[in-house]
Amino acid sequence: MPSLQLSRYRLGWWSLGLALGAAVVYIVYAFVGTFVFGVFIYYATRPIYKRLKRRIRPPSLAAAVSLFALALPALFLIAYALSIALGELLKYVNSGAFDPSRWPIVNQELLGSIADPATLLELDPERYLTAEGLQSLGASLGSAVDTVAFVGVGAIHLFVMLALAFYLLRDGGRLSKWAVKEFGDDRGVLKAYGQEVDRDFKGIFFGNILNAVLTGSIGVLAYSVLNIYAPAGLAIPAAPLVGLLAGVASLIPVVGMKLVYVPVALYLTALGILTEPTALWFVALFVLVSFVIVDVIPDLVLRPYVSGRSLHVGSLMIAYTFGPLLFGWYGIFLMPMLLVLVVHFARLVLPELLNGEPIQPYAVDPGTFAGDVDVDTESADDAEATET
């Protein structure tokens, strides 16, 4: 009877554990893009955090400063773009482009009727409160609500990404130590597997930042050279800024830099049609240079080399190509993560599983990780900071 009661006791706890595990898996699956991008932010900021935590206490402050340091270049870039846009807006305002009396569809009589309060009071509201007008108003309000909801959901996802990166920076060492203690074995296979995966994750995710920097540099150079041969009145507006924005947009999979150079190409096309139709060859050249030199070559050729030197370049190129096609926008991060997990599982664990032999980390040299993050050291630092 005691053994039966013990079995039922353990069965109940196992059932609860499986239910909780299924709930966690469902949540991660539903927001997998958010979690993957949060891990990307963590690995992108961890080199900064490792240096700051020696000088800044407590670790929470060091993690917050690290995240802000990562966002600082983007904030400067946004401020630079806004200053240029404000300058262009002031130029149009000073030229009188926003004077309604100069618009061809507006005459002085219409302006006078709108500006006169007495005329507005005399308007009959029933002329505008028709079924079609109310339906159009409802559709406009619904579209506005959808836009606000979309922005709100995006803000929530951004908050979750930053929160995940923050707590991984602050408590990642203790989490790793707990996992090794609870699930590791005497031979240290789990620790060796985790260190190998961590090393390649660091290379892949930090490599994406490096790829964005290199892509932005290529964009600045390419667009600045293009402007030298631009026809009069059809130059690329703020060419260095467009190149830098293309580098930042390269972090967004699939669409990426197209969010930058496609609107610029449309702007140049409209400007060329209105001013000099014979100069549209420059727009075609801009699109060609943007697609081939700034977009395709860095994304398919440069990114695999800077992202994972310890992995096969061909496999990384395939992962970066098919990841977004299989999983969506976050596939460019998720597919390389799966590649790393599969490669090291096949190298460290699978041979022993197939042969039925004890699993041993035979391929791991302890000296290889001398420069990597020491889980125990990080945990000790965090514990010391917590006590102080």
Side-chain angles (χ1 to χ4, degrees):
M1 183 64 67
S3 60
L4 180 61
Q5 292 177 352
L6 180 61
S7 299
R8 291 177 178 175
Y9 176 79
R10 294 177 64 86
L11 180 62
W13 281 114
W14 272 112
S15 301
L16 178 60
L18 291 175
L20 294 176
V24 172
V25 170
Y26 173 76
I27 293 173
V28 174
Y29 172 77
F31 300 96
V32 60
T34 304
F35 285 102
V36 168
F37 208 84
V39 173
F40 163 70
I41 296 175
Y42 160 67
Y43 276 99
T45 54
R46 199 174 71 177
I48 304 173
Y49 173 74
K50 287 173 60 179
R51 289 164 175 80
L52 290 180
K53 73 173 183 177
R54 301 188 184 100
R55 300 174 176 84
I56 300 177
R57 292 292 182 177
S60 299
L61 181 59
V65 173
S66 301
L67 291 174
F68 180 75
L70 178 69
L72 199 58
L75 294 176
F76 278 127
L77 188 60
I78 293 173
Y80 178 45
L82 290 177
S83 65
I84 292 178
L86 182 60
E88 293 295 322
L89 180 63
L90 291 176
K91 184 189 300 183
Y92 280 106
V93 170
N94 295 332
S95 65
F98 291 94
D99 185 3
S101 61
R102 301 180 58 181
W103 299 348
I105 60 174
V106 179
N107 52 41
Q108 292 295 332
E109 183 179 354
L110 178 60
L111 285 175
S113 62
I114 295 176
D116 186 7
T119 305
L120 294 177
L121 292 175
E122 293 175 359
L123 294 177
D124 184 9
E126 295 182 358
R127 293 178 51 190
Y128 305 98
L129 296 178
T130 60
E132 293 79 5
L134 292 176
Q135 185 177 3
S136 176
L137 178 61
S140 300
L141 292 176
S143 177
V145 170
D146 292 340
T147 302
V148 173
F150 176 78
V151 174
V153 171
I156 293 175
H157 282 275
L158 179 60
F159 172 76
V160 173
M161 294 174 190
L162 294 177
L164 178 62
F166 173 82
Y167 287 110
L168 283 177
L169 287 172
R170 196 189 69 173
D171 303 321
R174 283 179 285 185
L175 178 62
S176 300
K177 184 178 180 180
W178 173 82
V180 171
K181 179 181 177 181
E182 296 295 330
F183 305 105
D185 57 336
D186 296 336
R187 298 182 178 89
V189 177
L190 178 62
K191 185 175 182 180
Y193 180 77
Q195 287 175 327
E196 288 276 10
V197 169
D198 179 78
R199 183 184 62 181
D200 282 338
F201 276 5
K202 181 172 61 178
I204 287 175
F205 288 120
F206 190 75
N208 278 283
I209 297 293
L210 181 59
N211 179 76
V213 173
L214 295 176
T215 301
S217 303
I218 294 173
V220 170
L221 180 62
Y223 294 147
S224 299
V225 171
L226 272 181
N227 261 358
I228 298 176
Y229 304 97
L234 204 61
I236 303 171
L241 175 62
V242 174
L244 291 175
L245 290 175
V248 174
S250 67
L251 294 173
I252 305 174
V254 184
V255 292
M257 287 164 280
K258 298 175 183 63
L259 295 174
V260 176
Y261 68 77
V262 169
V264 174
L266 294 176
Y267 167 77
L268 293 176
T269 301
L271 190 62
I273 292 175
L274 295 176
T275 58
E276 190 64 37
T278 58
L280 290 178
W281 62 268
F282 179 75
V283 180
L285 180 61
F286 169 77
V287 173
L288 181 64
V289 169
S290 299
F291 181 74
V292 176
I293 297 179
V294 183
D295 193 346
V296 174
I297 291 179
D299 201 46
L300 295 182
V301 179
L302 188 62
R303 190 192 295 267
Y305 281 98
V306 301
S307 293
R309 296 182 179 89
S310 62
L311 297 173
H312 192 273
V313 175
S315 62
L316 266 178
M317 186 178 297
I318 293 174
Y320 280 122
T321 303
F322 287 99
L325 300 178
L326 291 174
F327 300 108
W329 66 268
Y330 55 86
I332 200 168
F333 303 112
L334 181 58
M335 194 70 171
M337 291 174 63
L338 295 177
L339 174 66
V340 170
L341 294 172
V342 170
V343 165
H344 292 303
F345 181 86
R347 187 169 66 86
L348 296 175
V349 181
L350 186 59
E352 281 79 5
L353 291 178
L354 294 178
N355 296 329
E357 299 175 358
I359 299 176
Q360 299 180 5
Y362 62 89
V364 179
D365 180 9
T368 305
F369 309 106
D372 289 348
V373 177
D374 187 353
V375 172
D376 297 337
T377 302
E378 280 195 348
S379 302
D381 291 344
D382 292 341
E384 180 184 355
T386 304
E387 293 176 359
T388 56

